[in-house]
Amino acid sequence: MAQIDFIFSKESSEDITLKNLLREIKLEHPKIILNELEKDSSAGQKYVEQLGILSFPAIIINDELFSTGMVTKEEILEKIDPSNY
């Protein structure tokens, strides 16, 4: 099962666009776990410190930093391989 952690710093248009994209992926693949974390929350800070994240939004897939900034739906699906879910 894939776990996607989405860490954002503010509600910018980029954050909102990516959040909506991740929610769409979650709806299409309900077994995927999606967590949305504000970077200043305790859970968000855990990832920021552990992975050295300096720019946002950030996507962590299965505890590995996947991207910072915008990515496409295709790039995310290629990484998580939803055929397994």
Side-chain angles (χ1 to χ4, degrees):
M1 180 178 330
Q3 177 173 316
I4 301 173
D5 295 295
F6 174 63
I7 302 177
F8 58 95
S9 63
K10 57 187 180 308
E11 290 291 327
S12 70
S13 60
E14 188 175 72
D15 289 317
I16 292 167
T17 299
L18 196 49
K19 185 183 292 188
N20 289 336
L21 176 66
L22 291 169
R23 288 176 178 175
E24 179 182 316
I25 291 170
K26 168 69 176 160
L27 285 174
E28 293 170 358
H29 306 283
K31 291 184 180 180
I32 292 171
I33 298 168
L34 173 61
N35 299 308
E36 298 174 9
L37 309 166
E38 205 281 322
K39 77 170 184 91
D40 293 325
S41 69
S42 60
Q45 276 299 301
K46 173 191 132 193
Y47 282 117
V48 169
E49 293 170 9
Q50 182 181 25
L51 300 174
I53 301 169
L54 300 175
S55 61
F56 302 90
I59 297 175
I60 293 99
I61 297 177
N62 297 330
D63 293 324
E64 290 184 19
L65 181 61
F66 171 65
S67 72
T68 57
M70 287 300 297
V71 292
T72 66
K73 182 177 182 178
E74 291 75 24
E75 290 170 316
I76 296 168
L77 292 175
E78 183 177 308
K79 175 68 176 176
I80 62 172
D81 189 11
S83 65
N84 293 325
Y85 309 103

